[in-house]
Amino acid sequence: MNRFLFVHITLFLFGIVLNSHAAVDETFQTEIEQDSVYYDTEPIDKREYDNLKDKYNDDEFIYERTVENSGWWSRFKQWLSDFFKNLFDFNSDAQASNFTDIALKIFYVVIFLLVVFFIVKAIINKEGNWVFGKSSDKNIIPVTDIENNIYETDFKSLISQAEAENNYRLAIRYYYLWLLKTLSEAEIIDYDVEKTNSDYYLEIESQATKEEFSYTSYLYNYIWYGEFDIDSLQFNKGKQAFTQFLNSIKK
């Protein structure tokens, strides 16, 4: 009896094992089917790309910059770019480099405008004499309202005003114009704003007058075209020479 029961229990357990094995096989087979490779049979759309090296070659994609074997100007610009980058906290070297280029262009424009300004100012203040030279054979009298109207000009008042302002160079200029006016009124020369010292010298007939004119012309050229300030002592010497010459003409 016990033996018969043992056989039945053994067969029962063996059946359970077989059924479990079949279930496992079925589950495993299902998982294999689910995990099987899927083969895509759709046609492939081939894409083409531009040359990526050229596309990403501008300044925004340059993260490291070197100044090896470069000139002093390149090294200066690199230093300036690094300075602006630290000063304004730029995110990249490219932004700092672009800002540096713009700043330098603005600097060039400002320098150019300043140069033009000072040139124009110098021409206006110095009447362009420094451009055209200091030769006595240049036009000794620039064409201005005073030079065109010397016969109606009160040179005594102009000289007094210039002396009061310690503008001795201008006072000597007025003395010279006054001298030309006096020589012309005495019919010793024929006044013309386009004439030079040499022209007037050749028109004078008297040798003594020629010598005095030559000396006062020298003083005028030396003081006025010399473009340097003179003190009261130097001015008084020139003033005395012009005054004596003017008095000798009026006699």
Side-chain angles (χ1 to χ4, degrees), residues 51-52 78 84 111 124-125 132 154 179 188 202-203 213 233 236:
N51 192 330
L52 298 180
Q78 182 61 53
F84 286 139
I111 292 298
I124 294 174
N125 292 342
F132 302 107
D154 183 3
L179 176 61
I188 298 175
L202 295 174
E203 291 180 8
F213 179 79
L233 180 62
N236 287 329

Side-chain angles (χ1 to χ4, degrees), residues 74-212:
S74 298
R75 292 194 296 271
F76 171 74
K77 288 182 65 177
Q78 182 61 53
W79 173 84
L80 195 60
S81 179
D82 294 338
F83 173 78
F84 286 139
K85 182 180 180 181
N86 295 330
L87 181 64
F88 298 108
D89 196 21
F90 288 117
N91 295 326
S92 67
D93 289 338
Q95 292 181 345
S97 179
N98 291 335
F99 181 85
T100 301
D101 291 338
I102 295 174
L104 288 175
K105 290 178 180 178
I106 295 174
F107 175 75
Y108 298 150
V109 172
V110 171
I111 292 298
F112 174 77
L113 293 177
L114 286 175
V115 170
V116 172
F117 169 76
F118 285 117
I119 290 176
V120 173
K121 183 178 179 181
I123 292 175
I124 294 174
N125 292 342
K126 305 297 184 181
E127 299 172 344
N129 181 65
W130 66 275
V131 175
F132 302 107
K134 303 174 184 178
S135 172
S136 61
D137 284 334
K138 303 296 180 180
N139 291 344
I140 61 174
I141 307 173
V143 181
T144 63
D145 290 340
I146 293 178
E147 286 78 11
N148 283 323
N149 299 279
I150 63 170
Y151 300 108
E152 292 78 26
T153 302
D154 183 3
F155 286 106
K156 287 185 178 181
S157 299
L158 292 176
I159 291 172
S160 297
Q161 181 180 352
E163 287 188 69
E165 297 173 355
N166 296 326
N167 193 344
Y168 300 129
R169 289 181 64 248
L170 184 59
I172 291 296
R173 183 184 182 211
Y174 288 148
Y175 265 117
Y176 191 76
L177 294 175
W178 188 12
L179 176 61
L180 294 180
K181 172 186 176 180
T182 305
L183 289 171
S184 179
E185 289 176 339
E187 298 182 352
I188 298 175
I189 64 171
D190 183 15
Y191 175 75
D192 190 324
V193 294
E194 298 296 328
K195 288 184 178 180
T196 65
N197 290 352
S198 299
D199 295 328
Y200 291 128
Y201 181 83
L202 295 174
E203 291 180 8
I204 300 174
E205 297 180 357
S206 171
Q207 186 60 37
T209 305
K210 278 180 179 287
E211 292 177 2
E212 289 193 82

